[in-house]
Amino acid sequence: MQLSSTLKKIQELESGALSAEENVSRFIEKIEKDKYGAFLEVYSERALAQARKVDARRKKGGKLPPLAGLAVGVKNSIAVKGQRLTCASKMLEDYVAPYDATAIERIEAAGGVLVGSTNLDEFCCGSDCTRSALAKTCNPLDTTRVVGGSSGGSAAAVAAGLCDTTLSEDTGGSIRCPASFCGVTGVRPTYGTVSRYGVSDMAMSFDQLGPISSDVLGSAALLQELVGSDPRDATTVAALKQDFVSSLNNLPNGLRAAVPKQFFEGCDPGVESLVRKKIELLESKGVKVEEIDFPLLSYSLPVYYLLVFSEFASAMQKYDGLRYGADWAQGTNYNSVAAEVRSANLGSEVKRRILLGTYITTKEFRGAWYSKTLKARDLLRKEFAKVFKSHDVVLGPTMPMTAWKIGEKSQDPLQMYLADILTVPANCAGLSGASIPAGMHNKTKMPVGFQVIGKWNEEATLLKVLAAAED
Ligand code: GLN
């Protein structure tokens, strides 16, 4: 078996063959020359100070924490104290985070070194990272193509070798889509696994943090430091603190996988054939695979978007120029100030979602749209629960296509939403989902992603299946 690049790096850092300062300063140099627009900001001072602390600890001979000296990029929707938290929006361009997110505290406690913030679609709204108001990110494998979104900067950073790993966020596929388009690994854990304290919420009943890394081991190593309950986020689950890394290669016997036939409807044939090869590889390792019929999956996309619009419109109310957001010049009362600030500082997709979300949650329409959609989400959850009674994982493609050309879908919001058809089912049900590379598409020569969806709170099994399917 090939030595995981993350494992190799961890070993070099542990033995002192590579100092944390060397590791971090090499990355900082590379980030400063970044041609792909992966990073919004480099945390040079903070990173070097943290790296030196790790090296001093090694010199003293003490046991190093698990992520000691690894360089971590952070999606810029997550608070890092004293650094700009922009959500890639003009609205928050100058906003400085007053505290660290819980996930950030945990990474630093484990010795990880934050090297900078990565680009995203404005307020996480998008599937290709072309909606950032602050930077343009392109795919390092073909710079005429999109990087995927919304955590596109993180995936580009990993694919271009600008950091060891990243902390990202996935509401409807924002970890898995860019991981798939860039040929790297992304894991969105079960809802409630990682604290969302200090994360700018897009849709609070869907959002979840997770890693985008170069391999499964890298994702497992970061994830195991992040999981666990947090009194500051009441949705976090208590259990789950376990060693994912050391059990990674112990695929349990007799695992059962479901492959919904709907996952291949409308899927590009080049994507399908590579994904089917991954499924066969798992079969050859003893996983029992069964094709299933899951007609309710077709409701995932409307359920996702209607509820995300509603929750997003509510989350965005605080950006009014008074509580949060850019300054205003002319407004004389609350409505005119809020209107002025929002018109001038939010992009069209963000405005569209605020308007639609406000509309479907008004008193007149709530029953027909919002409440009905909540019921449909519940049905989807129940259907997944049935599937997981007789299966351990669900397998399929991550995205029905490979990375499209920059600009191809920017003018057509519906086309962009449709691209999420295979990632949103996991989010609607609060499940975990991950993407690993399945190979290069025969025609586009771009990476294809293989998706594994896991049972609630069974991240260990999910990671083992990913490791078994990894080349
Ligand atoms: N493409 C999805 C959306 O635009 C994903 C967003 C996300 O996961 N943050 O809603």
Side-chain angles (χ1 to χ4, degrees), residues 335-349:
N335 285 347
S336 64
V337 166
E340 181 190 322
V341 165
R342 289 180 190 197
S343 308
N345 294 291
L346 294 177
S348 56
E349 179 59 24

Side-chain angles (χ1 to χ4, degrees), residues 75 124-127 149-150 169-175 202 304-305 308 353 420:
K75 183 176 185 175
C124 308
C125 297
S127 313
S150 64
E169 173 277 340
D170 186 305
T171 305
S174 281
I175 285 180
M202 177 191 187
Y304 171 80
Y305 272 100
V308 165
R353 292 187 188 208
D420 298 338

Side-chain angles (χ1 to χ4, degrees), residues 99-123:
Y99 57 84
D100 280 326
T102 299
I104 295 297
E105 285 176 359
R106 290 187 179 169
I107 289 174
E108 290 199 324
V113 178
L114 309 171
V115 287
S117 59
T118 57
N119 198 19
L120 63 149
D121 286 297
E122 186 177 10
F123 283 104

